[in-house]
Amino acid sequence: MAALDEPLSKVLDPRTAKALADGLKLRTVADLLHHYPRRYAERGQLTSLDDLQVDEHATVLARIEKVTLIPFRGRKGDRLEVVVTDGRGRLSLVFFNQGWRQKELRPGAQGLFAGKVGVFNRTRQLASPDYQLLDEDADSSTARQFAGKLIPVYPASAQLPSWKLSLAVQAVLDSCLPQVGEPLPAELRAERGLIGLQEALELIHRPRNQAELEQARERLRWDEAFVLQIALAQRRLAAAALPAKPRPVRTGGLLEAFDAKLPFQLTEGQQKVGRDVFDDLASEHPMHRLLQGEVGSGKTLVALRAMLAVVDAGGQAVLLAPTEVLAQQHHRSIVEMMGDLALGGMLGGTKVVLLTGSMGVPARRQVLSDMACGNAGIAIGTHALIEDKVQFQDLGLVVVDEQHRFGVEQRDALRAKGGQPPHLLVMTATPIPRTVAMTVFGDLETSVLDQLPAGRSPISSHVVPALEKPNFLARAWERVREEVAKGHQAYVVCPRIGDEEEDPKKRRKRAPEDAAEEVGADAGAGSDERRPPLAVLETAEMLAKGPLAGLRVGILHGRLAPEAKDEVMRRFAAGEVDVLVATTVIEVGVNVPNSTAMVIMDADRFGVSQLHQLRGRVGRGSAPGLCLLVSEMPAGSAARARLDAVAGTLDGFALSRIDLEQRREGDVLGQAQSGVRSSLKVLSVLDDEEVIAEAREAAARLVAADPELAEHQELRSELAGLLDEDRAAYLEKG
C-alpha cells in the first residue's frame, strides 16, 4: 500500500503535481485514483449547453459552428469569437490576440472546451478556454487518449482542464494500480458479486461501455458505504464499552415537581421518547441518542425533562445551541417553564445559567464559578461552553441542539469535560430521511417525535410571485396589517443583513455562533445578473415608511450586540414589537406563540428545509399561521418548483428528501463526512438505501468479531485514508 501514499510529485511531473495539489487538493496517488469522473461524454452525443451554470468551471463536448476574427477599433490586436453548439443551444468562446487559432478551430470540428462560464451581453461565454479537438486528424497521443466511446470528464480546475487531468490519471493507473490493496473481505465480495478494487478503479476511469461503468460504480458504492459504516460501528462499540454514572429517575424530585406544574398533557410520543431517554440515563454506559422531529413537536420539553432527571440524580446538564439568539431563547423559555424551580437555593430548585462568547467579564466569571462548584444544575450556551476554562463539578448530560451546526469533535470536546463520559442527547429540528440518519448519525440511537402538541394550529403557505403579480405582494403587506390589527405579530425574513459593501476591515468580527445565519443568502444566486438579495436594514426602513407605516417594526440579525439581540427578542415576546424583520437567526428555537404571520423575502434564495424551519416560527399558538413565500423567479423555473413544494406540504420528512435531492449530499452530511478526501463520490444517501442498510449490518458483524481490524489490514488502511487526523485519534482513543 506504500505506493498509494506516494506524493504525486514523485509520480508526475512537478508542474502537474502542483496544479493538482493547489487546485483540487489532490496530493497522493490514492487521492487521484479516487478522484472519479463527474460524467462521461459519449462520442457523437454533445453536451447540453442549456444546463451550464454561470460561474461553474465546465468542460463541454460541442461542435464548432462559426469562427469570426474581429480587429479592435483604433488600436492593435483582435478578438477571435468561436461559436460552439450542441444542436440546440450555443456558447461563445472568446480569445484575445490569438488569431492564429483560426487554423485549427474550424467550423464542423468537434472538441472538448473547458473554462469558467461567464456572461457578456446576456450571452454565456468561455473566455480564453482550454480545448482539445477530437477530429480524425488529431495527433496519435490524443487519438489514444480518447480511443473509447466514453470520454471521462473530471471535476477540474482553471489550471488543469479535464483532459490534462485525464492524462495524469492514465499515468498513475499505469504505474501504480498493481499496488492497490483489497479492503473488502473476500466473502463479502463473493456474497455481493463485486469485482476487485483494482478492476473497479480501472473501469471507473477507463470504461469501454456502460456495463463496465456500472460494475465499477457498484463496487465503489459498496466501498464508500462499508468503510463509513465500519467507522460508525467502531464508534458505537467504543461508546458502549465506556463506563458512565447511572442517573436513574427518582421520586419526589425536580422532575416530579416540574411535571406537576405543566399546564398540558404530554403527547404519547413525548412520553414514549421520555421513557427511552430515562432508561438510557439509568444505564452504566453513556446514552448516545438522536432526537428528531417536526418543527414544534416539543423536543426541548423532552430534553428539559431529561436534564431535570440528571439534576435529581446529583449531576449537571448542559444545552449547547449554535447561535446566541437560540441560546438566549432556550434560557428564557426554560426559566419560564420551570418558574420558581429555576431559582435554586432554599426553594429546592436548581440554578439555570447562560454562557455565550460575548458576555461581560463579571457575568462570565460568576457563571463559570456556578458551573465549577455545582451551584448551576443546568447550563445553556453556545460554543463558549467548549472552551478550556469551562469546568463542571459533575457533568451528567450533554444536550446538543441542531447537530448539523456542530462537528463530531466539538460535541466530543464538551463530553470530555465530565469525569466519566456524560450521557449525550442530540436534537435536530430538521427531519432526516432514514438513510441520512444511518449515515450521519450512525453512532446514535434514533428517536422520532411525529406528533404535534394539542393546541397547535395549522399553517397555510402561499407563493407570492412579486414580479408577475405585484398586487399579490401589496396584498401580503395588507395581510400582515390585518394580523397585527387582531392583536397578533409577524416576521419578515430577508437573506442578507445589509451594509455589506462597507470596508470589511471596519466590520465587527462576528462570533462563530452567528457565522451561519446567512446560509441561504447565496442559494440560487450567482453572478448571473440577478440583483443582490434583499437585506434586513433596507427592507425594515422601506416597510416602516411604506406599507407597514404606523406599526412598530424591529430588526434582528447576527451583527447586533448580544444585549441588543436579547432586548429585541424580549420586546417581541412581550408584544412590544408588531413586526420583526430578521435574518435566518430566527430559524430554530424561537418561540413566540402570538406570532401568526411570516413573509419570507427572496424565498428562492433559501433551501427547502430552511424554509420549513422558518415557517415553523408561526402557528405555535391557538391562532392559525400564515407563511408567504415572496419570489421574483418565473413560473416553471426550478426555484419556483421548490417553493411550490414547500407551500404544498407541512411534512418535514418529505421536504427534507426534496432538499437532499437538490443539494450536494456532502453539504447535507457536513462535518460527519469531513476528511482527507470525501467518502461520498458514488454513493447516494437517498437512492442507495439498500446498500447503506446492508453495509451497516455487515460492518457491525465485522467490527464485533474484529474491533481493531487486526485481521483486515487493507480495510484499516482504507479507513485511515478516509478519516481526518482528529477523527482517527478519536477512534484510537475509543
Side-chain angles (χ1 to χ4, degrees), residues 474-492 539-555 571-572 575-581 597 599:
R475 176 62 184 143
W477 301 128
E478 288 176 9
R479 286 291 290 114
V480 169
R481 296 192 76 98
E482 288 167 8
E483 289 300 309
V484 173
K486 294 177 187 175
H488 299 308
Q489 295 160 275
Y491 297 99
V492 176
T539 301
E541 183 178 3
M542 179 274 294
L543 292 174
K545 293 179 178 178
L548 301 186
L551 301 186
R552 297 169 296 177
V553 177
I555 61 171
R571 293 180 60 233
F572 189 61
E576 298 169 12
V577 172
D578 298 318
V579 179
L580 185 63
V581 185
V599 181

mmCIF file of all heavy atoms in Angstrom, residues 474-492 539-555 571-572 575-581 597 599:
data_model
loop_
_atom_site.group_PDB
_atom_site.id
_atom_site.type_symbol
_atom_site.label_atom_id
_atom_site.label_comp_id
_atom_site.label_asym_id
_atom_site.label_seq_id
_atom_site.Cartn_x
_atom_site.Cartn_y
_atom_site.Cartn_z
ATOM 1 N N ALA A 474 -48.550 43.479 -2.603
ATOM 2 C CA ALA A 474 -49.286 44.516 -1.866
ATOM 3 C C ALA A 474 -50.299 43.875 -0.920
ATOM 4 O O ALA A 474 -50.464 44.306 0.231
ATOM 5 C CB ALA A 474 -49.995 45.450 -2.847
ATOM 6 N N ARG A 475 -50.950 42.807 -1.406
ATOM 7 C CA ARG A 475 -51.917 42.097 -0.563
ATOM 8 C C ARG A 475 -51.222 41.408 0.618
ATOM 9 O O ARG A 475 -51.787 41.323 1.718
ATOM 10 C CB ARG A 475 -52.669 41.063 -1.416
ATOM 11 C CG ARG A 475 -53.640 40.182 -0.637
ATOM 12 C CD ARG A 475 -54.753 40.979 0.012
ATOM 13 N NE ARG A 475 -55.601 40.124 0.833
ATOM 14 C CZ ARG A 475 -56.144 40.478 1.986
ATOM 15 N NH1 ARG A 475 -55.915 41.701 2.484
ATOM 16 N NH2 ARG A 475 -56.905 39.650 2.656
ATOM 17 N N ALA A 476 -49.982 40.952 0.413
ATOM 18 C CA ALA A 476 -49.233 40.315 1.505
ATOM 19 C C ALA A 476 -49.056 41.287 2.670
ATOM 20 O O ALA A 476 -49.235 40.926 3.842
ATOM 21 C CB ALA A 476 -47.871 39.831 1.004
ATOM 22 N N TRP A 477 -48.686 42.535 2.341
ATOM 23 C CA TRP A 477 -48.498 43.516 3.420
ATOM 24 C C TRP A 477 -49.838 43.874 4.072
ATOM 25 O O TRP A 477 -49.886 44.124 5.290
ATOM 26 C CB TRP A 477 -47.813 44.771 2.873
ATOM 27 C CG TRP A 477 -46.471 44.479 2.272
ATOM 28 C CD1 TRP A 477 -46.028 44.830 1.037
ATOM 29 C CD2 TRP A 477 -45.395 43.745 2.874
ATOM 30 N NE1 TRP A 477 -44.748 44.371 0.822
ATOM 31 C CE2 TRP A 477 -44.331 43.707 1.935
ATOM 32 C CE3 TRP A 477 -45.217 43.115 4.105
ATOM 33 C CZ2 TRP A 477 -43.122 43.063 2.198
ATOM 34 C CZ3 TRP A 477 -44.005 42.463 4.368
ATOM 35 C CH2 TRP A 477 -42.982 42.451 3.430
ATOM 36 N N GLU A 478 -50.927 43.837 3.297
ATOM 37 C CA GLU A 478 -52.252 44.049 3.898
ATOM 38 C C GLU A 478 -52.571 42.942 4.893
ATOM 39 O O GLU A 478 -53.128 43.194 5.965
ATOM 40 C CB GLU A 478 -53.324 44.090 2.800
ATOM 41 C CG GLU A 478 -53.308 45.342 1.942
ATOM 42 C CD GLU A 478 -54.343 45.266 0.825
ATOM 43 O OE1 GLU A 478 -55.171 44.311 0.842
ATOM 44 O OE2 GLU A 478 -54.327 46.137 -0.063
ATOM 45 N N ARG A 479 -52.200 41.697 4.540
ATOM 46 C CA ARG A 479 -52.457 40.570 5.447
ATOM 47 C C ARG A 479 -51.675 40.727 6.748
ATOM 48 O O ARG A 479 -52.171 40.398 7.840
ATOM 49 C CB ARG A 479 -52.081 39.247 4.773
ATOM 50 C CG ARG A 479 -53.044 38.796 3.716
ATOM 51 C CD ARG A 479 -54.400 38.375 4.337
ATOM 52 N NE ARG A 479 -54.292 37.133 5.097
ATOM 53 C CZ ARG A 479 -54.455 37.028 6.408
ATOM 54 N NH1 ARG A 479 -54.729 38.090 7.142
ATOM 55 N NH2 ARG A 479 -54.354 35.879 7.024
ATOM 56 N N VAL A 480 -50.450 41.245 6.636
ATOM 57 C CA VAL A 480 -49.663 41.482 7.857
ATOM 58 C C VAL A 480 -50.378 42.504 8.739
ATOM 59 O O VAL A 480 -50.503 42.320 9.959
ATOM 60 C CB VAL A 480 -48.236 41.953 7.508
ATOM 61 C CG1 VAL A 480 -47.506 42.446 8.759
ATOM 62 C CG2 VAL A 480 -47.443 40.828 6.835
ATOM 63 N N ARG A 481 -50.849 43.590 8.134
ATOM 64 C CA ARG A 481 -51.555 44.618 8.908
ATOM 65 C C ARG A 481 -52.810 44.036 9.554
ATOM 66 O O ARG A 481 -53.144 44.368 10.699
ATOM 67 C CB ARG A 481 -51.924 45.807 8.011
ATOM 68 C CG ARG A 481 -50.736 46.560 7.436
ATOM 69 C CD ARG A 481 -51.176 47.883 6.804
ATOM 70 N NE ARG A 481 -51.469 48.863 7.845
ATOM 71 C CZ ARG A 481 -50.623 49.806 8.265
ATOM 72 N NH1 ARG A 481 -49.431 49.906 7.710
ATOM 73 N NH2 ARG A 481 -50.961 50.651 9.206
ATOM 74 N N GLU A 482 -53.510 43.145 8.827
ATOM 75 C CA GLU A 482 -54.728 42.542 9.377
ATOM 76 C C GLU A 482 -54.406 41.680 10.596
ATOM 77 O O GLU A 482 -55.150 41.688 11.592
ATOM 78 C CB GLU A 482 -55.417 41.696 8.296
ATOM 79 C CG GLU A 482 -56.072 42.530 7.200
ATOM 80 C CD GLU A 482 -56.470 41.690 5.994
ATOM 81 O OE1 GLU A 482 -56.364 40.435 6.084
ATOM 82 O OE2 GLU A 482 -56.881 42.265 4.967
ATOM 83 N N GLU A 483 -53.310 40.928 10.535
ATOM 84 C CA GLU A 483 -52.926 40.089 11.674
ATOM 85 C C GLU A 483 -52.567 40.955 12.883
ATOM 86 O O GLU A 483 -52.933 40.646 14.017
ATOM 87 C CB GLU A 483 -51.742 39.181 11.300
ATOM 88 C CG GLU A 483 -52.094 38.070 10.333
ATOM 89 C CD GLU A 483 -53.163 37.140 10.892
ATOM 90 O OE1 GLU A 483 -53.019 36.647 12.025
ATOM 91 O OE2 GLU A 483 -54.177 36.917 10.195
ATOM 92 N N VAL A 484 -51.844 42.050 12.631
ATOM 93 C CA VAL A 484 -51.486 42.952 13.739
ATOM 94 C C VAL A 484 -52.748 43.591 14.325
ATOM 95 O O VAL A 484 -52.871 43.752 15.547
ATOM 96 C CB VAL A 484 -50.492 44.025 13.247
ATOM 97 C CG1 VAL A 484 -50.249 45.076 14.344
ATOM 98 C CG2 VAL A 484 -49.164 43.383 12.838
ATOM 99 N N ALA A 485 -53.706 43.922 13.458
ATOM 100 C CA ALA A 485 -54.959 44.523 13.939
ATOM 101 C C ALA A 485 -55.732 43.561 14.848
ATOM 102 O O ALA A 485 -56.482 43.992 15.727
ATOM 103 C CB ALA A 485 -55.827 44.929 12.739
ATOM 104 N N LYS A 486 -55.525 42.262 14.646
ATOM 105 C CA LYS A 486 -56.177 41.262 15.502
ATOM 106 C C LYS A 486 -55.433 41.067 16.818
ATOM 107 O O LYS A 486 -55.824 40.238 17.644
ATOM 108 C CB LYS A 486 -56.243 39.911 14.782
ATOM 109 C CG LYS A 486 -57.143 39.886 13.550
ATOM 110 C CD LYS A 486 -57.042 38.505 12.898
ATOM 111 C CE LYS A 486 -57.775 38.455 11.573
ATOM 112 N NZ LYS A 486 -57.563 37.138 10.885
ATOM 113 N N GLY A 487 -54.311 41.780 16.978
ATOM 114 C CA GLY A 487 -53.528 41.633 18.204
ATOM 115 C C GLY A 487 -52.366 40.678 18.075
ATOM 116 O O GLY A 487 -51.701 40.355 19.067
ATOM 117 N N HIS A 488 -52.114 40.209 16.839
ATOM 118 C CA HIS A 488 -51.018 39.261 16.627
ATOM 119 C C HIS A 488 -49.766 39.988 16.131
ATOM 120 O O HIS A 488 -49.756 41.208 15.979
ATOM 121 C CB HIS A 488 -51.436 38.180 15.622
ATOM 122 C CG HIS A 488 -52.615 37.380 16.078
ATOM 123 N ND1 HIS A 488 -52.671 36.766 17.301
ATOM 124 C CD2 HIS A 488 -53.803 37.091 15.460
ATOM 125 C CE1 HIS A 488 -53.827 36.129 17.444
ATOM 126 N NE2 HIS A 488 -54.533 36.319 16.333
ATOM 127 N N GLN A 489 -48.712 39.195 15.851
ATOM 128 C CA GLN A 489 -47.433 39.748 15.394
ATOM 129 C C GLN A 489 -46.949 38.990 14.168
ATOM 130 O O GLN A 489 -47.483 37.929 13.829
ATOM 131 C CB GLN A 489 -46.388 39.660 16.522
ATOM 132 C CG GLN A 489 -46.722 40.525 17.719
ATOM 133 C CD GLN A 489 -45.971 40.037 18.961
ATOM 134 O OE1 GLN A 489 -46.428 39.119 19.657
ATOM 135 N NE2 GLN A 489 -44.825 40.641 19.231
ATOM 136 N N ALA A 490 -45.907 39.532 13.515
ATOM 137 C CA ALA A 490 -45.433 38.936 12.266
ATOM 138 C C ALA A 490 -43.914 39.019 12.162
ATOM 139 O O ALA A 490 -43.272 39.872 12.774
ATOM 140 C CB ALA A 490 -46.077 39.645 11.071
ATOM 141 N N TYR A 491 -43.372 38.094 11.366
ATOM 142 C CA TYR A 491 -41.951 38.115 10.999
ATOM 143 C C TYR A 491 -41.835 38.476 9.516
ATOM 144 O O TYR A 491 -42.675 38.087 8.703
ATOM 145 C CB TYR A 491 -41.305 36.733 11.160
ATOM 146 C CG TYR A 491 -41.271 36.166 12.551
ATOM 147 C CD1 TYR A 491 -42.223 35.227 12.954
ATOM 148 C CD2 TYR A 491 -40.263 36.511 13.446
ATOM 149 C CE1 TYR A 491 -42.179 34.662 14.215
ATOM 150 C CE2 TYR A 491 -40.213 35.951 14.711
ATOM 151 C CZ TYR A 491 -41.173 35.029 15.093
ATOM 152 O OH TYR A 491 -41.126 34.473 16.345
ATOM 153 N N VAL A 492 -40.778 39.201 9.172
ATOM 154 C CA VAL A 492 -40.371 39.366 7.780
ATOM 155 C C VAL A 492 -38.912 38.913 7.720
ATOM 156 O O VAL A 492 -38.069 39.427 8.461
ATOM 157 C CB VAL A 492 -40.497 40.827 7.299
ATOM 158 C CG1 VAL A 492 -39.958 40.966 5.877
ATOM 159 C CG2 VAL A 492 -41.949 41.288 7.372
ATOM 160 N N THR A 539 -34.968 46.675 3.995
ATOM 161 C CA THR A 539 -36.369 46.241 3.984
ATOM 162 C C THR A 539 -37.134 46.818 5.171
ATOM 163 O O THR A 539 -38.283 47.276 5.032
ATOM 164 C CB THR A 539 -36.453 44.707 3.992
ATOM 165 O OG1 THR A 539 -35.776 44.193 2.834
ATOM 166 C CG2 THR A 539 -37.899 44.229 3.982
ATOM 167 N N ALA A 540 -36.510 46.813 6.343
ATOM 168 C CA ALA A 540 -37.173 47.357 7.537
ATOM 169 C C ALA A 540 -37.494 48.834 7.348
ATOM 170 O O ALA A 540 -38.592 49.303 7.683
ATOM 171 C CB ALA A 540 -36.290 47.149 8.762
ATOM 172 N N GLU A 541 -36.542 49.581 6.761
ATOM 173 C CA GLU A 541 -36.768 51.011 6.529
ATOM 174 C C GLU A 541 -37.886 51.220 5.513
ATOM 175 O O GLU A 541 -38.756 52.077 5.693
ATOM 176 C CB GLU A 541 -35.470 51.655 6.038
ATOM 177 C CG GLU A 541 -35.575 53.158 5.835
ATOM 178 C CD GLU A 541 -34.257 53.782 5.390
ATOM 179 O OE1 GLU A 541 -33.282 53.032 5.191
ATOM 180 O OE2 GLU A 541 -34.217 55.016 5.228
ATOM 181 N N MET A 542 -37.878 50.418 4.441
ATOM 182 C CA MET A 542 -38.908 50.533 3.412
ATOM 183 C C MET A 542 -40.297 50.234 3.978
ATOM 184 O O MET A 542 -41.271 50.951 3.707
ATOM 185 C CB MET A 542 -38.590 49.573 2.261
ATOM 186 C CG MET A 542 -39.611 49.569 1.122
ATOM 187 S SD MET A 542 -41.032 48.446 1.395
ATOM 188 C CE MET A 542 -40.237 46.850 1.363
ATOM 189 N N LEU A 543 -40.400 49.196 4.799
ATOM 190 C CA LEU A 543 -41.702 48.811 5.358
ATOM 191 C C LEU A 543 -42.216 49.862 6.345
ATOM 192 O O LEU A 543 -43.401 50.199 6.364
ATOM 193 C CB LEU A 543 -41.589 47.448 6.054
ATOM 194 C CG LEU A 543 -41.347 46.246 5.131
ATOM 195 C CD1 LEU A 543 -41.113 44.985 5.961
ATOM 196 C CD2 LEU A 543 -42.519 46.046 4.181
ATOM 197 N N ALA A 544 -41.295 50.370 7.185
ATOM 198 C CA ALA A 544 -41.703 51.341 8.200
ATOM 199 C C ALA A 544 -42.188 52.646 7.571
ATOM 200 O O ALA A 544 -43.044 53.340 8.132
ATOM 201 C CB ALA A 544 -40.542 51.611 9.156
ATOM 202 N N LYS A 545 -41.644 52.990 6.385
ATOM 203 C CA LYS A 545 -42.064 54.229 5.717
ATOM 204 C C LYS A 545 -43.194 54.001 4.719
ATOM 205 O O LYS A 545 -43.827 54.951 4.286
ATOM 206 C CB LYS A 545 -40.869 54.845 4.986
ATOM 207 C CG LYS A 545 -39.772 55.360 5.907
ATOM 208 C CD LYS A 545 -38.616 55.929 5.094
ATOM 209 C CE LYS A 545 -37.524 56.488 6.005
ATOM 210 N NZ LYS A 545 -36.363 56.993 5.221
ATOM 211 N N GLY A 546 -43.396 52.723 4.340
ATOM 212 C CA GLY A 546 -44.355 52.418 3.289
ATOM 213 C C GLY A 546 -45.522 51.578 3.754
ATOM 214 O O GLY A 546 -46.353 52.029 4.564
ATOM 215 N N PRO A 547 -45.606 50.315 3.301
ATOM 216 C CA PRO A 547 -46.819 49.510 3.530
ATOM 217 C C PRO A 547 -47.122 49.199 4.991
ATOM 218 O O PRO A 547 -48.269 48.902 5.321
ATOM 219 C CB PRO A 547 -46.554 48.226 2.738
ATOM 220 C CG PRO A 547 -45.084 48.196 2.500
ATOM 221 C CD PRO A 547 -44.637 49.609 2.430
ATOM 222 N N LEU A 548 -46.107 49.257 5.881
ATOM 223 C CA LEU A 548 -46.369 48.972 7.299
ATOM 224 C C LEU A 548 -46.191 50.219 8.169
ATOM 225 O O LEU A 548 -45.933 50.112 9.375
ATOM 226 C CB LEU A 548 -45.450 47.840 7.792
ATOM 227 C CG LEU A 548 -45.572 46.502 7.045
ATOM 228 C CD1 LEU A 548 -44.722 45.434 7.722
ATOM 229 C CD2 LEU A 548 -47.018 46.041 6.946
ATOM 230 N N ALA A 549 -46.312 51.391 7.569
ATOM 231 C CA ALA A 549 -46.169 52.644 8.325
ATOM 232 C C ALA A 549 -47.168 52.671 9.482
ATOM 233 O O ALA A 549 -48.331 52.294 9.334
ATOM 234 C CB ALA A 549 -46.402 53.836 7.404
ATOM 235 N N GLY A 550 -46.681 53.112 10.621
ATOM 236 C CA GLY A 550 -47.537 53.181 11.802
ATOM 237 C C GLY A 550 -47.420 51.969 12.700
ATOM 238 O O GLY A 550 -47.795 52.023 13.878
ATOM 239 N N LEU A 551 -46.889 50.863 12.189
ATOM 240 C CA LEU A 551 -46.676 49.675 13.019
ATOM 241 C C LEU A 551 -45.298 49.757 13.673
ATOM 242 O O LEU A 551 -44.395 50.443 13.197
ATOM 243 C CB LEU A 551 -46.776 48.399 12.179
ATOM 244 C CG LEU A 551 -48.091 48.156 11.434
ATOM 245 C CD1 LEU A 551 -48.080 46.779 10.782
ATOM 246 C CD2 LEU A 551 -49.283 48.285 12.378
ATOM 247 N N ARG A 552 -45.140 49.036 14.747
ATOM 248 C CA ARG A 552 -43.860 49.016 15.473
ATOM 249 C C ARG A 552 -42.976 47.940 14.834
ATOM 250 O O ARG A 552 -43.222 46.752 14.995
ATOM 251 C CB ARG A 552 -44.095 48.724 16.951
ATOM 252 C CG ARG A 552 -44.928 49.794 17.653
ATOM 253 C CD ARG A 552 -45.382 49.348 19.037
ATOM 254 N NE ARG A 552 -46.290 48.196 18.964
ATOM 255 C CZ ARG A 552 -46.795 47.569 20.023
ATOM 256 N NH1 ARG A 552 -46.491 47.986 21.236
ATOM 257 N NH2 ARG A 552 -47.601 46.531 19.869
ATOM 258 N N VAL A 553 -41.951 48.385 14.094
ATOM 259 C CA VAL A 553 -41.080 47.478 13.344
ATOM 260 C C VAL A 553 -39.727 47.365 14.040
ATOM 261 O O VAL A 553 -39.088 48.381 14.330
ATOM 262 C CB VAL A 553 -40.898 47.969 11.891
ATOM 263 C CG1 VAL A 553 -39.925 47.060 11.131
ATOM 264 C CG2 VAL A 553 -42.244 48.039 11.178
ATOM 265 N N GLY A 554 -39.295 46.138 14.320
ATOM 266 C CA GLY A 554 -37.988 45.898 14.931
ATOM 267 C C GLY A 554 -37.096 45.125 13.981
ATOM 268 O O GLY A 554 -37.554 44.563 12.990
ATOM 269 N N ILE A 555 -35.780 45.094 14.261
ATOM 270 C CA ILE A 555 -34.845 44.334 13.430
ATOM 271 C C ILE A 555 -34.018 43.404 14.314
ATOM 272 O O ILE A 555 -33.758 43.698 15.490
ATOM 273 C CB ILE A 555 -33.905 45.256 12.618
ATOM 274 C CG1 ILE A 555 -33.048 46.133 13.548
ATOM 275 C CG2 ILE A 555 -34.684 46.101 11.634
ATOM 276 C CD1 ILE A 555 -31.963 46.908 12.819
ATOM 277 N N ARG A 571 -38.607 42.209 23.794
ATOM 278 C CA ARG A 571 -39.697 43.120 23.433
ATOM 279 C C ARG A 571 -40.682 42.460 22.471
ATOM 280 O O ARG A 571 -41.882 42.654 22.564
ATOM 281 C CB ARG A 571 -39.119 44.401 22.809
ATOM 282 C CG ARG A 571 -38.325 45.261 23.804
ATOM 283 C CD ARG A 571 -37.768 46.523 23.163
ATOM 284 N NE ARG A 571 -38.848 47.354 22.625
ATOM 285 C CZ ARG A 571 -38.893 47.807 21.379
ATOM 286 N NH1 ARG A 571 -37.921 47.492 20.535
ATOM 287 N NH2 ARG A 571 -39.894 48.550 20.984
ATOM 288 N N PHE A 572 -40.157 41.656 21.548
ATOM 289 C CA PHE A 572 -41.046 40.965 20.608
ATOM 290 C C PHE A 572 -41.902 39.943 21.355
ATOM 291 O O PHE A 572 -43.121 39.849 21.133
ATOM 292 C CB PHE A 572 -40.215 40.285 19.517
ATOM 293 C CG PHE A 572 -41.040 39.729 18.393
ATOM 294 C CD1 PHE A 572 -41.829 40.549 17.603
ATOM 295 C CD2 PHE A 572 -41.022 38.371 18.106
ATOM 296 C CE1 PHE A 572 -42.592 40.042 16.558
ATOM 297 C CE2 PHE A 572 -41.777 37.849 17.064
ATOM 298 C CZ PHE A 572 -42.558 38.683 16.294
ATOM 299 N N GLY A 575 -44.754 41.450 23.135
ATOM 300 C CA GLY A 575 -45.771 42.114 22.327
ATOM 301 C C GLY A 575 -45.522 43.585 22.107
ATOM 302 O O GLY A 575 -46.410 44.315 21.655
ATOM 303 N N GLU A 576 -44.292 44.060 22.387
ATOM 304 C CA GLU A 576 -43.979 45.475 22.219
ATOM 305 C C GLU A 576 -43.491 45.796 20.806
ATOM 306 O O GLU A 576 -43.249 46.952 20.469
ATOM 307 C CB GLU A 576 -42.911 45.887 23.242
ATOM 308 C CG GLU A 576 -43.382 45.733 24.684
ATOM 309 C CD GLU A 576 -42.235 45.879 25.677
ATOM 310 O OE1 GLU A 576 -41.142 46.314 25.257
ATOM 311 O OE2 GLU A 576 -42.437 45.536 26.861
ATOM 312 N N VAL A 577 -43.299 44.768 19.975
ATOM 313 C CA VAL A 577 -42.917 44.931 18.575
ATOM 314 C C VAL A 577 -43.954 44.204 17.736
ATOM 315 O O VAL A 577 -44.273 43.045 17.995
ATOM 316 C CB VAL A 577 -41.505 44.347 18.304
ATOM 317 C CG1 VAL A 577 -41.198 44.333 16.810
ATOM 318 C CG2 VAL A 577 -40.448 45.146 19.053
ATOM 319 N N ASP A 578 -44.499 44.891 16.718
ATOM 320 C CA ASP A 578 -45.532 44.273 15.875
ATOM 321 C C ASP A 578 -44.932 43.379 14.796
ATOM 322 O O ASP A 578 -45.429 42.290 14.531
ATOM 323 C CB ASP A 578 -46.379 45.356 15.189
ATOM 324 C CG ASP A 578 -47.122 46.220 16.191
ATOM 325 O OD1 ASP A 578 -47.648 45.656 17.161
ATOM 326 O OD2 ASP A 578 -47.159 47.453 15.993
ATOM 327 N N VAL A 579 -43.888 43.883 14.144
ATOM 328 C CA VAL A 579 -43.279 43.161 13.022
ATOM 329 C C VAL A 579 -41.772 43.102 13.246
ATOM 330 O O VAL A 579 -41.125 44.141 13.428
ATOM 331 C CB VAL A 579 -43.581 43.860 11.677
ATOM 332 C CG1 VAL A 579 -42.919 43.108 10.526
ATOM 333 C CG2 VAL A 579 -45.084 43.962 11.452
ATOM 334 N N LEU A 580 -41.217 41.884 13.222
ATOM 335 C CA LEU A 580 -39.777 41.702 13.404
ATOM 336 C C LEU A 580 -39.160 41.344 12.053
ATOM 337 O O LEU A 580 -39.479 40.313 11.464
ATOM 338 C CB LEU A 580 -39.496 40.584 14.413
ATOM 339 C CG LEU A 580 -38.021 40.366 14.775
ATOM 340 C CD1 LEU A 580 -37.448 41.605 15.460
ATOM 341 C CD2 LEU A 580 -37.867 39.147 15.680
ATOM 342 N N VAL A 581 -38.287 42.228 11.548
ATOM 343 C CA VAL A 581 -37.578 41.981 10.296
ATOM 344 C C VAL A 581 -36.229 41.371 10.663
ATOM 345 O O VAL A 581 -35.450 41.982 11.402
ATOM 346 C CB VAL A 581 -37.388 43.280 9.490
ATOM 347 C CG1 VAL A 581 -36.745 42.969 8.132
ATOM 348 C CG2 VAL A 581 -38.725 43.982 9.292
ATOM 349 N N ALA A 597 -47.980 35.386 11.441
ATOM 350 C CA ALA A 597 -47.698 35.595 10.014
ATOM 351 C C ALA A 597 -46.198 35.713 9.777
ATOM 352 O O ALA A 597 -45.467 36.269 10.601
ATOM 353 C CB ALA A 597 -48.404 36.849 9.502
ATOM 354 N N VAL A 599 -43.540 36.600 6.364
ATOM 355 C CA VAL A 599 -43.290 36.900 4.953
ATOM 356 C C VAL A 599 -41.802 36.668 4.718
ATOM 357 O O VAL A 599 -40.961 37.319 5.341
ATOM 358 C CB VAL A 599 -43.667 38.348 4.594
ATOM 359 C CG1 VAL A 599 -43.413 38.608 3.116
ATOM 360 C CG2 VAL A 599 -45.125 38.633 4.949
#
